[in-house]
Amino acid sequence: MLKNKKLAVIGVGKLGEALISGLLKRNAVEASDVTGSVAHEPSISRVKERLNINVTLDNCEAIKGKDVILLAVKPQNMDRVLKEISSSVKPDQLVISVAASVTTSFVEERLPDGIPVVRAMPNTPSVINAGMAGLCAGANASEDHKSMAEAIFKCVGETVFVDESLMDGVTALSASGPAYLYVVIESLAEAGVKLGISRETSTLLAAQTMLGSAKMILDSKQHPAMLKDMVTTPAGCTIDGLMELEEGKLRVTLIKAVVKAAERARELVNTQTSKFSK
Ligand SMILES: NC(=O)c1ccc[n+]([C@@H]2O[C@H](COP(=O)([O-])OP(=O)(O)OC[C@H]3O[C@@H](n4cnc5c(N)ncnc54)[C@H](OP(=O)(O)O)[C@@H]3O)[C@@H](O)[C@H]2O)c1
């Protein structure tokens, strides 16, 4: 799908670099077909060194003749960048934005009529090709545009299309999610330390257990409760541990954490949209 496609990445920071690196590793695109842009001169050599792609400070130059324009600047820079490139964007180019809390209509309103836009919310494990990206299509994006965007994020992990109204939920669950799960791993490792296991070994035990449990759910497609029951022998030790988790309200705490983060993402949409529009 991406073969011979030319890609511009506006803002080759942490996320832009992770995506380009994933695409290059998979041979999904040629390095010579990718142009990145950055804000500061010293960043040019950083990007060239790491990715061996064309890099420029000129966003309009970067998008010239490209099939896909991926916007990976911070949300607060989106308004400026969109206004800057607006007169250079052509209707046959697909614009993909990964900026948190920036809606497809925000992007569409700042570009000429009819430009196809897809919004994506990836997460940091994209760096190691284990990412999860939620995607939604703007008003002018066709099935082909959606497939193109999907192909890009599939190079660094899994993808799912959702209604745009659910993107705050995706942000709170899978984009913020690694932070919650790091806390869970850290806590399990602390427990290992309390029981006399070295920190290094405890962290390995906890992290590999998290990885294996997630893989069991994805590979077996069984409900997590079924898999939990398989570990829980009657009158064994796991049920005692589970009772402690119930008493500590782990489930409701996690639910409330994601709901709260989604509310915050929604607030950011409102404050950022009004701020950017000034
Ligand atoms: N990091 C994540 O886990 C994650 C997850 C989901 C979504 N996102 C979204 O991805 C976007 C980028 O995040 P990040 O963490 O990669 O940020 P970052 O590391 O700060 O990267 C931003 C990049 O944008 C460049 N830039 C700034 N202004 C520019 C301009 N006017 N023209 C061209 N390039 C410009 C910067 O250039 P210099 O290097 O020269 O300063 C930098 O390379 C954000 O909108 C964020 O919401 C990030």
Side-chain angles (χ1 to χ4, degrees), residues 11-15 39-40 43 46 59 72-75 98-100 122 124:
V12 189
K14 288 183 284 297
L15 195 84
H40 305 98
S43 307
R46 166 184 57 87
N59 291 331
V73 294
K74 291 275 188 201
V98 295
T124 46

Side-chain angles (χ1 to χ4, degrees), residues 32-147:
S32 56
D33 286 337
V34 183
T35 301
S37 73
V38 286
H40 305 98
E41 182 83 43
S43 307
I44 293 184
S45 47
R46 166 184 57 87
V47 176
K48 275 197 173 148
E49 223 165 80
R50 293 206 198 164
L51 300 168
N52 195 26
I53 58 167
N54 316 301
V55 197
T56 172
L57 294 174
D58 183 341
N59 291 331
C60 293
E61 186 58 37
I63 68 170
K64 215 179 266 174
K66 300 298 187 298
D67 301 290
V68 179
I69 302 166
L70 193 121
L71 303 172
V73 294
K74 291 275 188 201
Q76 58 270 29
N77 294 324
M78 282 288 283
D79 186 51
R80 214 181 89 201
V81 165
L82 285 165
K83 284 179 179 155
E84 196 183 324
I85 63 171
S86 180
S87 57
S88 308
V89 179
K90 303 278 181 287
D92 61 350
Q93 293 179 308
L94 166 64
V95 174
I96 302 174
S97 161
V98 295
S101 301
V102 175
T103 61
T104 51
S105 59
F106 182 92
V107 178
E108 286 161 358
E109 281 161 16
R110 282 154 185 79
L111 295 175
D113 287 348
I115 300 292
V117 175
V118 170
R119 176 180 166 194
M121 182 43 60
N123 65 7
T124 46
S126 302
V127 178
I128 52 154
N129 291 343
M132 179 68 236
L135 304 170
C136 68
N140 310 310
S142 66
E143 286 305 314
D144 280 353
H145 294 127
K146 287 169 68 177
S147 301

Side-chain angles (χ1 to χ4, degrees), residues 10-41:
I10 306 300
V12 189
K14 288 183 284 297
L15 195 84
E17 186 180 322
L19 289 173
I20 297 170
S21 154
L23 289 165
L24 295 176
K25 272 188 211 148
R26 288 279 188 101
N27 293 322
V29 289
E30 299 287 333
S32 56
D33 286 337
V34 183
T35 301
S37 73
V38 286
H40 305 98
E41 182 83 43

